Amino acid sequence: MTDVRAATGWTTSDSELERVREEDERLARERTKIARDGPGLKDAELAARLDRTWRRPPGIIGWLATVDHKEIGRRYIITALMFLALGGVLALIMRLQLAEPGNNLVGAQRYNELFTMHGSTMMFLFAVPVMEGVAVYIIPLMVGARSTTFPRLNAFSYYMYLFGGLMLWGAFVLNIAPDVGWFAYTPLSGPEFSPGKRSDVWAQMITFTEVSALAAAVVLVCTILKARAPGMTLARMPIFAWAMLVQAVMIIFAMPAIALASGMLISDRLVGTQFFNQYEHGDALLWQHLFWFFGHPEVYIIFLPATGFVSVITETFCRRPIFAHTIVVLALMSTGILAFGLWVHHMFATGLPRVGYSFYTAASMTVAIPTGLQIFCWLATMWEGRPRFEVPMLYVVGFIITFVIGGLSGVIIASVPLDLQVHDTFFIVAHFHYVLIGGAVFPLLGILTYWYPKITGRMMSDALGKIGFWMVFLGFQLAFFPMHFSGLLGMPRRVYTYPAGLGLELPNMLSTIGAFVVAAAVGIFVVNGVVSLYRGRLAPANPWGAPSLEWATPSPPPAYNFPHVPVVESRTPLWDTGPEMPVLTGLRVDEKEMLLTTVVAAVPDLREPIPEPSLWPFISSVAVGVFFISSIFSPWAVPFGAIPCTIALIAWFWPKEMKRTPEPVIS
Amino acid sequence: MSMGRRAPLVLLALGTGACSYQNYQSTFGNAAIEARQFNTLFVIFLVVCAVMYLAVVLFLFASILRRRRAGEANVVEDGRHHLSSPLMRSALIGWSAVVVVGLIGLAIASFFADRSMAKAASGQKLSITITANQWWWDVQYNSADVSKMVRTANELHLPVGVPVRIFLRSNDVIHSFWVPSLAGKQDLIPGRDNDITIVPSKVGIYRGQCAEFCGAQHAHMALVVNVDSFPDFIKWWQHQLQPAQAPTTPEAVAGYNYVTSRQCGACHSIAGTPASGTVGPDLTHLASRRSIAAGTLPMGQGNLYGWVADPQSLKPGVHMPTIGLEPAQLHAVVAYLETLK
């Protein structure tokens, strides 16, 4: 006792110190009574008790309140695929309209709505959310965690996304869909040239998806950096986790630019600010800078997760780790950084200074270097390995053949003199569909086939998968390769019709036929997904013989993901350890708890209590949604709409009484 | 796989066939120095990119075929998955070098093309101001002598071999001036002054089209460019300098009276008459042009009737209203418009 006083300089009385010591001993006794996983509690009994702790409450309330990343991820994926289908139907209508010159299937106004809805849906409601949805589902499993960090924020992110999408499509049904293109250039989208509410709907849809994407990005960054299994140092982290880390950090840097831009557009339209009005000292081009500062990274926000998918599939089906892992990781990071220095290449025709253009030409070409290196590394992995051409691997081959065409046409349009001709023509339409469908949707279809057994517990049909792959691959080339020619033959983007006699008839007809082949293939994929849910072969824990941790737990995974926290000793843990994975025990089973580790070395750091399911994220997102939607109609929605938001957030974050037994950090 | 590769090749053949199809509105038109330079540079890029693509595809197929030779692979089944061959490690370095050198070469080629275009375009002789409107082009030939200035719409006449500087403005939203057979595009942005210089090199008729989405009728915002021999161009200019001729037939006179005293003159101007509106295209020599309503319809009596009677059904959303003319008025207006040669 005197030692304690000497060490601390406190003037605590003997009796006081005695009381503290007794309290310590009491807590230590309490702790021994806490149920933990370990030698004393394992297998069936452990599973039953963990399930009781982690299972969400039943009923509709429990369904809305869930914070299970697997449920949220699944909803994200299904919702995004529905928006893909809706956006695809719009594309088919557009292709029918363009099938022949002077066609009159849909008029100018409707066509303008169609391509605006198609672009906005595909970019904001399908491509980004589906990547986040897959990551929200798989990342915690892949890094060996029981949950994402901030699970309630994760739920909030999904509901915001859903409401944003429903608003846009509700507006379409009510005939107030936006009609100014997915990048809504001012002054066309401003108050003078777009009266009515169409542009406001577009701008607020962007606001919804910004909030949602930022929330999901924060969840993913923290999960990847802090929730990795012990031993999974940064050097041993799977490439998909790296890709998602870079992507999420990019979202955090890119989204504020579009948040600013859409906010300025809304206030120009709603309260008469003049940010983009050149006659009141605003600037029409400011919009383009802000939009593309977000818009170009956006492409990589979609593409980088897809490269992660390619790495995952290539590794598993070539039966060896990715060749030059470090190079691939560095390529991801440098792509993420370079992506922020390219935006002006969307503005080569706006008459900015020539010297500035040269910089952006060079920067745009530079970004081809890391991508070229990644391609080499995948090919070298195939070369060194023994590739098995299951359906996911077929998609990787289709990806390389297709995406590289898009990448090289990207090099062509990085050159100012070439871009000035093909800019805003169907050549560009061909380019970005090669990059986004070839580069992102092909890997996505591959990875959905790959992770389907993990998510559902059943395998997808192989035969249907192969038919679907060949149809989507060939149909895609038929639909989009001719667009290079329609662009070079002088067909601008976003025209609802074109005159006969320019040589555009044949390429357009081929594109239309190809589009329907792709649609049929996507239909086959969906049928395969639905039928396999009931008829598919039951999947074991690791049907593909894959190396990463998500396959170390049953398919589908239990609510708590892993009975014991896995310990990682290499980059490919399931290939390098025997049948018995090393594990770390001692997490509580009577309350939801996860292990946090240090950022770089992944040494156990903290036990983190995981919040219980709660309705407040849902209620908050309803409040924010009402706020956003009503602010389309009146500026008073801002002060009054903020009140329910504030109340909901206060309730969400209301401090709970600490009932837990205090525990020291494990060492 | 082989079928997947063959499809684009077939299309390539189709495409090259289509290249010779028309020079009317094609980036392969080669009708100006700028368009020629585009084509040269495009071929250079295409060759380099094709070589890169071939390298990727060959590597891909080599890796796929190689798997049949079992035993040499560094895979988990053989317990060698942590190994990689020295061959691939040096290939990685070689690959990076090729990519970097290729890209630097392309960037330099691009810079040189850009500079030489700027050089070819210096020493302008003719100055034109084009002002874009939703959805038509206002064209003005500038001259220090005001009496030599010509105003027309949706049509451009350029003398072959003479560098022309075109100043680009917009009255409403952003548009983009693009005549693919002559040169790349340049935006017309409200509140900003842009310009483009073109040196036409081949006599002919070409079509251009707005290339930046500008609202409902973006698809119908075209213009016709006539590249004339120098004498023809001067002849055209002299003709344009004339005011509209007074109508002679009774019907045309009735049309003249309607056009100059009723709605039409509020938006359109006809030199030499009281019609002096500026928000619609100049009509002084309307009947000498090749198209109506910014390339929406070919010029002709039937189309003039259709357009004057009901522009809203031919170009929905156009700012010209359908005013519901009586048949007699319609006949008169069209008869007068046809005299505006």
Side-chain angles (χ1 to χ4, degrees), chain B residues 10-341:
Chain B
V10 171
L11 287 166
L12 193 68
L14 284 173
T16 31
C19 295
S20 54
Y21 199 100
Q22 276 278 7
N23 292 335
Y24 194 35
Q25 180 172 332
S26 159
T27 57
F28 303 115
N30 272 332
I33 290 181
E34 289 70 19
R36 276 176 208 281
Q37 268 161 342
F38 162 79
N39 273 297
T40 315
L41 188 64
F42 190 68
V43 169
I44 295 173
F45 269 67
L46 217 51
V47 168
V48 175
C49 289
V51 170
M52 287 186 183
Y53 187 66
L54 218 59
V56 170
V57 172
L58 283 179
F59 191 2
L60 175 68
F61 283 100
S63 314
I64 290 172
L65 294 175
R66 197 181 111 94
R67 87 196 143 109
R68 307 219 163 92
R69 284 194 291 129
E72 279 181 31
N74 294 321
V75 292
V76 63
E77 279 76 9
D78 303 352
R80 290 208 305 243
H81 57 287
H82 294 302
L83 302 178
S84 56
S85 59
L87 171 71
M88 276 299 121
R89 269 172 287 167
S90 29
L92 173 63
I93 296 168
W95 181 278
S96 323
V98 168
V99 170
V100 170
V101 169
L103 288 174
I104 289 177
L106 290 180
I108 290 175
S110 167
F111 295 152
F112 275 116
D114 209 23
R115 296 294 173 275
S116 84
M117 278 186 193
K119 204 180 285 174
S122 60
Q124 47 129 340
K125 294 269 168 44
L126 184 63
S127 154
I128 300 173
T129 301
I130 293 185
T131 309
N133 298 272
Q134 280 181 328
W135 296 274
W136 62 282
W137 309 90
D138 183 34
V139 178
Q140 180 172 298
Y141 284 72
N142 303 318
S143 169
D145 179 355
V146 180
S147 67
K148 292 275 190 289
M149 280 172 58
V150 162
R151 188 148 181 252
T152 179
N154 301 324
E155 188 160 76
L156 208 53
H157 282 253
L158 303 176
V160 71
V162 177
V164 187
R165 187 156 182 210
I166 304 176
F167 295 90
L168 301 167
R169 310 231 162 96
S170 169
N171 273 339
D172 38 46
V173 301
I174 300 178
H175 303 267
S176 196
F177 177 79
W178 185 41
V179 187
S181 305
L182 299 182
K185 53 189 72 65
Q186 197 63 234
D187 289 353
L188 306 93
I189 302 168
R192 274 174 188 260
D193 292 331
N194 269 345
D195 66 83
I196 183 173
T197 307
I198 299 174
V199 192
S201 61
K202 210 156 57 180
V203 171
I205 298 164
Y206 309 100
R207 188 173 185 270
Q209 197 171 352
C210 176
E212 184 65 77
F213 180 64
C214 57
Q217 281 297 339
H218 167 59
H220 286 139
M221 184 171 167
L223 80 168
V224 177
V225 181
N226 298 263
V227 176
D228 301 330
S229 67
F230 198 74
D232 283 351
F233 173 74
I234 295 297
K235 209 186 294 170
W236 174 83
W237 189 324
Q238 296 297 347
H239 179 69
Q240 296 290 311
L241 284 171
Q242 313 290 325
Q245 282 177 355
T248 47
T249 66
E251 198 164 40
V253 171
Y256 170 86
N257 290 335
Y258 187 92
V259 167
T260 52
S261 63
R262 304 289 289 273
Q263 297 95 326
C264 312
C267 298
H268 297 283
S269 65
I270 303 170
T273 77
S276 57
T278 54
V279 298
D282 182 281
L283 301 180
T284 310
H285 296 283
L286 173 72
S288 73
R289 296 181 200 148
R290 289 178 176 274
S291 71
I292 305 173
T296 309
L297 304 162
M299 180 59 73
Q301 193 185 45
N303 284 336
L304 268 179
Y305 266 106
W307 179 253
V308 174
D310 190 6
Q312 287 298 331
S313 71
L314 292 169
K315 192 172 173 179
V318 68
H319 294 314
M320 175 162 159
T322 294
I323 46 184
L325 294 170
E326 301 292 322
Q329 293 170 331
L330 181 61
H331 286 304
V333 168
V334 171
Y336 174 60
L337 292 179
E338 284 190 294
T339 68
L340 298 174
K341 296 278 184 198

Side-chain angles (χ1 to χ4, degrees), chain A residues 30 33 69 85 99 180 194 302 337 356 401 416 430 456-457 479 526 560:
Chain A
E30 286 284 314
K33 286 189 232 151
H69 72 95
V180 288
S194 289
I302 294 166
I337 294 165
I401 291 176
V416 176
T456 65
V526 171
Y560 47 88

Side-chain angles (χ1 to χ4, degrees), chain A residues 235-253:
Chain A
R236 290 177 189 156
M237 194 161 93
I239 287 172
F240 178 63
W242 274 110
M244 288 315 303
L245 178 63
V246 174
Q247 185 246 21
V249 172
M250 286 179 77
I251 287 182
I252 292 170
F253 280 95

Side-chain angles (χ1 to χ4, degrees), chain A residues 214 393 453 595:
Chain A
L214 278 171
M393 193 63 194
L595 177 68

